[in-house]
Amino acid sequence: METKRCQRCHKLLRGDAQICSRCGGYDFLPVAQTRTRHSGPYSSGEVASVPSNPSLPVPIQLSPHRAGHYSGLHPEDEPYQSSFLPVQRPPLAAQPALEVEEVEDLTFSTVPDASIVSAPVSAPKRQVATFTPLPSPRPQRSSQTYHVPLVEQSATERDLEATRAPVSAPTIASPRPPAPATRPPGCQKRGNSVPLLLIASCLLFIVATGIMAFLLLSSKPATQLKPRLFTDQTGLLRVHDTLLLSGSEFEPDATVSFTRDASITVLDSAGKPLQVRTFNTGNFFASITISESWNVGKHVIDATDQQGNKASYTITVQLTPGAAPQLQLTPNHIDLGVDNAGVVSHKSITLTNAGGGEVNWLGSVAKSDASWLTLTPDHGNFAGSEGIVITINRGNLPPQPYTGHISFTQAGSGNAALVLTVTMGVNPASATSTSANLVLSNAAITFTGDTVSNPASQPITIQNTGGQSLNWTASLATTSGNNWLALSSTSGYLAAGASATITVSVASAGLSVGTYQGTLTFSYAGASATPVTVTLTVNPPPVARIAISPGGLSFHTLMGQNASAQSFTVTNTGNAPLNWGIVEDANGKTYAPVSQSSGTLAPSKSIAITVNPAISQASAGTLNALITVIDTDAGTPVKSQQVNVTFSIVNQAVISLDQNQLIFNHTSAIASSTQTIMLTDTGSAPLNWAVSINNSSPIAWLSIDNSGGNGLNPGGVEFINVTCDSTHLSPGTFTASLTLRDTDAGTPVAPQTVNVTVIVTP
């Protein structure tokens, strides 16, 4: 039977096979037809052992399979001889010669890649074949060990084999080089899959690298913020002062809470926990009122945002002196330097109180400087110190030096105003600008409102001082996060040299009492002008307040007589008009009529109310009356104030003299003279009186003619003649005194004294 071998996978096939059943190839090599049988002890049909390939650790048994298989295990059954593991092949000389058995004229060759030509044989019954080395395997396939396949013999063939004589081994021609063979389809598929696997591996590597980078970046801690607190206020603080605290490098657009001394919550003016909201830059401003709960000494203020970023600042609260309040200004001159037109500069100063109590102050800018100079705030109250921000806006000012003045006045002190001198300069323009340039008329705006009514709006002018047009936008931000700040327009167009006026308005109604900070930022062509700082002070609702001075009146008079008139003052100390009225009790209506019983007072205004006693018909004794000043508006929360009036009416005599001084001028020619004293009982009871010379011994040169009397009726008059005789006196000045008194025991009548002087000249 004819056989052939596949050039690709070397499988031995039948001669009529069209394609290889293993690899699908169709190129074949012919194999010579021989018929061989094994000789030796295995002719009885037993399977003989043959020398194994040196690469195999155990002998290989002859395969019981037919043609097409090698001895030993099938290639698919040999895990240690796969195409991925190299096989050690012995040298050519060490390879054994195998006997070839004739089986129905079939010759089995172990040469996979060459045609084998059988040499002539001398005996037809027995041949020995010598095999040539196998060619090197293809690079993509590892070496493989091939085994000699044997065909199972029939019983008749085994009997014939015993009688055959040995024959010489045939000479096998050298194999010709194998014809170039194309890659099997299976191998081709494997070759194409390698680049795909490499590409897939690269993609997976890139994806894995990206995931690892993302995890590393996401796990990397964020940049650590370094928040800090600071203030421009100098000097010590006292109770009722307001500390303007600034923060920076906090979390943007976050809520900041405040504590002091580790765990005490800082409260705002409404008694609620103080909280502010940071700008998108991480900055904020906070007003902290030093209340009575802050003890004298050092205090640590902590500010913490929502993300836990924290900063601290230490302040010192000073004991309030007992002296009167006194406003002080240090320094009295500041210079903000020279800069280009449109540049805004700021400078902080501190007002201090050199005394005790609270300073009520008012600041005003000279009218000639108001276009470029502002101060924030412009009034207030403080006990120890208060920070003031001075702002200059060079705007479109001509290039030259400028000097401005700000006056600070302490209300109710009568002291002269303190003047702060502010200097600055504007540089000359180097050349006409060819680009757009936005200039603002204001760098700071201050509003004062209350919780029920909004303050009036204020204008701000923007101007394009450049040589090109611009489109501008405005953004608003507040530290509290409330939408209390508004603009009439947030965008627009300005031609070169054009200007526009925008209205800035605030809504204080609904806000808590306190100070609020905001900013207006104007941007154009990717640039930003200097932000405008907006300060809103929210006061309690406007309400009138009544203050009375003095709080009581006392009248002393004799029975049957009216006392002199007295007055008290009504002052409106609130911030709303006061409609006032006076209500009196029964004694007040009878004995203490007032000059005006109702009226209207503007805030900080006063009026004097006169009380004219009407007690001439009253009996002796003490009378009390009550005058009440009220707010006549219905449902008013204004607390009324009262004036206590006391009338002391006495029934007694009163010594009244027409003169209390007597002077005598004597010479040698005039040695004696007399003067008269008139005594009147101006009281309401009879007077029992007496007069005496105040001296322990009699005075020879002084005498009186009436030493006293009884029953001087009210309104009655007595005359007392006083005589001076200087006959025996030397030249000089001599003095004495007379006393007139009520002689009744325990009398309340006050005595009267008359001084007597005599001057003797030669």
Side-chain angles (χ1 to χ4, degrees):
M1 180 177 179
E2 293 184 358
T3 60
K4 55 186 177 182
R5 192 178 299 278
C6 178
Q7 290 191 8
R8 295 183 180 179
C9 63
H10 311 291
K11 180 177 178 61
L12 188 64
L13 303 172
R14 294 172 60 91
D16 57 353
Q18 301 297 321
I19 60 174
C20 177
S21 61
R22 177 186 293 175
C23 66
Y26 51 86
D27 293 331
F28 307 100
L29 293 175
V31 179
Q33 297 184 17
T34 58
R35 184 169 182 170
T36 60
R37 298 181 65 92
H38 285 288
S39 62
Y42 304 104
S43 60
S44 62
E46 297 180 3
V47 179
S49 297
V50 295
S52 64
N53 192 301
S55 64
L56 296 178
V58 295
I60 300 177
Q61 296 180 347
L62 297 178
S63 174
H65 298 281
R66 295 285 181 177
H69 294 280
Y70 298 99
S71 63
L73 299 174
H74 296 97
E76 60 268 23
D77 296 332
E78 300 182 32
Y80 296 101
Q81 301 186 35
S82 65
S83 59
F84 297 95
L85 296 175
V87 177
Q88 296 180 355
R89 189 177 300 280
L92 180 61
Q95 293 186 6
L98 299 180
E99 295 180 352
V100 180
E101 181 183 3
E102 288 188 49
V103 180
E104 299 178 359
D105 298 332
L106 291 179
T107 302
F108 301 93
S109 173
T110 59
V111 181
D113 292 334
S115 299
I116 301 176
V117 179
S118 299
V121 294
S122 56
K125 294 297 181 179
R126 187 163 185 87
Q127 294 180 351
V128 178
T130 301
F131 298 94
T132 60
L134 296 174
S136 300
R138 289 182 175 88
Q140 68 272 19
R141 294 179 61 88
S142 60
S143 302
Q144 183 166 342
T145 304
Y146 299 95
H147 303 280
V148 178
L150 296 178
V151 179
E152 188 176 347
Q153 296 176 326
S154 62
T156 305
E157 291 175 336
R158 286 194 299 269
D159 295 336
L160 294 175
E161 185 179 358
T163 59
R164 292 175 182 169
V167 295
S168 61
T171 301
I172 302 175
S174 299
R176 57 182 175 86
T182 59
R183 188 182 304 272
C187 297
Q188 184 69 28
K189 187 177 297 185
R190 179 186 298 177
N192 293 337
S193 64
V194 172
L196 294 177
L197 291 174
L198 292 176
I199 294 173
S201 301
C202 293
L203 292 176
L204 290 175
F205 176 78
I206 294 173
V207 172
T209 304
I211 294 174
M212 293 181 64
F214 172 78
L215 293 176
L216 290 175
L217 292 176
S218 61
S219 62
K220 184 179 180 180
T223 303
Q224 184 68 30
L225 297 176
K226 297 180 179 179
R228 67 187 188 99
L229 292 177
F230 58 92
T231 181
D232 292 329
Q233 281 182 244
T234 59
L236 299 176
L237 296 166
R238 300 176 187 170
V239 174
H240 303 307
D241 280 349
T242 298
L243 171 66
L244 182 59
L245 201 61
S246 302
S248 65
E249 297 189 47
F250 282 79
E251 190 73 20
D253 299 319
T255 299
V256 178
S257 303
F258 297 86
T259 59
R260 66 176 176 90
D261 304 330
S263 60
I264 303 176
T265 301
V266 176
L267 305 179
D268 59 17
S269 55
K272 299 179 180 179
L274 176 63
Q275 290 185 335
V276 299
R277 191 164 185 83
T278 60
F279 298 117
N280 54 12
T281 58
N283 293 29
F284 69 83
F285 300 97
S287 296
I288 299 178
T289 301
I290 309 301
S291 63
E292 290 84 354
S293 62
W294 296 59
N295 298 325
V296 174
K298 291 187 177 182
H299 297 273
V300 178
I301 300 176
D302 297 321
T304 308
D305 61 21
Q306 292 171 314
Q307 285 69 33
N309 300 306
K310 181 179 178 180
S312 302
Y313 189 82
T314 302
I315 65 170
T316 301
V317 177
Q318 184 188 44
L319 180 66
T320 302
Q326 181 180 356
L327 178 65
Q328 282 190 340
L329 173 65
T330 303
N332 57 9
H333 173 263
I334 59 173
D335 181 26
L336 285 90
V338 181
D339 216 319
N340 298 329
V343 176
V344 177
S345 302
H346 305 273
K347 186 74 174 181
S348 297
I349 64 170
T350 302
L351 299 177
T352 57
N353 179 10
E358 290 189 10
V359 171
N360 184 4
W361 67 275
L362 175 67
S364 59
V365 180
K367 292 183 178 179
S368 59
D369 311 324
S371 62
W372 57 272
L373 181 59
T374 57
L375 73 157
T376 306
D378 59 0
H379 69 281
N381 294 279
F382 67 90
S385 63
E386 184 169 1
I388 309 296
V389 178
I390 308 299
T391 303
I392 63 168
N393 183 10
R394 295 176 178 83
N396 294 320
L397 296 176
Q400 65 182 37
Y402 289 84
T403 301
H405 301 85
I406 302 176
S407 299
F408 295 92
T409 305
Q410 180 181 349
S413 66
N415 299 331
L418 304 177
V419 179
L420 173 67
T421 302
V422 182
T423 56
M424 66 95 175
V426 180
N427 287 327
S430 57
T432 302
S433 176
T434 58
S435 60
N437 184 42
L438 189 64
V439 175
L440 309 177
S441 62
N442 301 72
I445 303 177
T446 301
F447 291 91
T448 301
D450 53 66
T451 58
V452 296
S453 59
N454 299 326
S457 301
Q458 297 187 37
I460 182 172
T461 301
I462 59 175
Q463 183 177 7
N464 180 8
T465 61
Q468 293 185 2
S469 61
L470 60 84
N471 292 303
W472 62 270
T473 59
S475 60
L476 304 87
T478 61
T479 55
S480 62
N482 301 96
N483 297 324
W484 54 265
L485 182 59
L487 281 176
S488 59
S489 179
T490 57
S491 63
Y493 168 83
L494 284 178
S499 62
T501 300
I502 304 169
T503 301
V504 183
S505 58
V506 297
S508 61
L511 295 178
S512 300
V513 175
T515 302
Y516 297 81
Q517 297 288 337
T519 55
L520 304 175
T521 303
F522 292 84
S523 303
Y524 64 99
S528 295
T530 301
V532 178
T533 301
V534 181
T535 302
L536 170 61
T537 301
V538 180
N539 296 319
V543 62
R545 288 186 174 88
I546 300 173
I548 301 296
S549 178
L553 300 176
S554 295
F555 296 90
H556 298 273
T557 187
L558 297 173
M559 187 176 64
Q561 300 179 12
N562 285 325
S564 300
Q566 296 183 36
S567 299
F568 64 90
T569 302
V570 179
T571 304
N572 178 10
T573 58
N575 54 0
L578 171 65
N579 296 318
W580 62 273
I582 291 179
V583 177
E584 297 185 85
D585 62 0
N587 282 345
K589 293 177 181 179
T590 303
Y591 303 112
V594 294
S595 59
Q596 186 176 345
S597 61
S598 63
T600 300
L601 284 177
S604 303
K605 298 298 181 180
S606 301
I607 187 172
I609 306 299
T610 302
V611 178
N612 295 296
I615 56 175
S616 61
Q617 303 302 318
S619 300
T622 301
L623 295 176
N624 294 315
L626 188 62
I627 299 175
T628 304
V629 182
I630 64 171
D631 184 352
T632 58
D633 294 332
T636 178
V638 180
K639 185 179 180 180
S640 60
Q641 300 293 326
Q642 294 180 332
V643 179
N644 295 311
V645 182
T646 301
F647 296 98
S648 297
I649 304 172
V650 295
N651 183 21
Q652 66 182 37
V654 175
I655 299 174
S656 298
L657 303 176
D658 64 340
Q659 58 183 331
N660 297 95
Q661 179 76 35
L662 296 177
I663 299 176
F664 295 90
N665 291 302
H666 288 180
T667 64
S668 58
I670 303 175
S672 179
S673 61
T674 301
Q675 295 187 35
T676 301
I677 299 174
M678 185 175 68
L679 169 63
T680 304
D681 180 5
T682 58
S684 59
L687 173 63
N688 298 320
W689 63 279
V691 61
S692 62
I693 298 174
N694 298 327
N695 203 325
S696 59
S697 60
I699 298 176
W701 55 269
L702 183 63
S703 62
I704 56 176
D705 66 349
N706 190 353
S707 60
N710 294 320
L712 181 62
N713 293 322
V717 176
E718 287 282 352
F719 294 95
I720 303 170
N721 292 318
V722 180
T723 300
C724 180
D725 185 359
S726 61
T727 303
H728 302 288
L729 297 177
S730 301
T733 300
F734 302 90
T735 61
S737 63
L738 305 173
T739 300
L740 288 88
R741 65 182 184 278
D742 186 350
T743 58
D744 294 333
T747 179
V749 179
Q752 299 293 323
T753 299
V754 178
N755 295 316
V756 180
T757 302
V758 59
I759 301 173
V760 181
T761 57

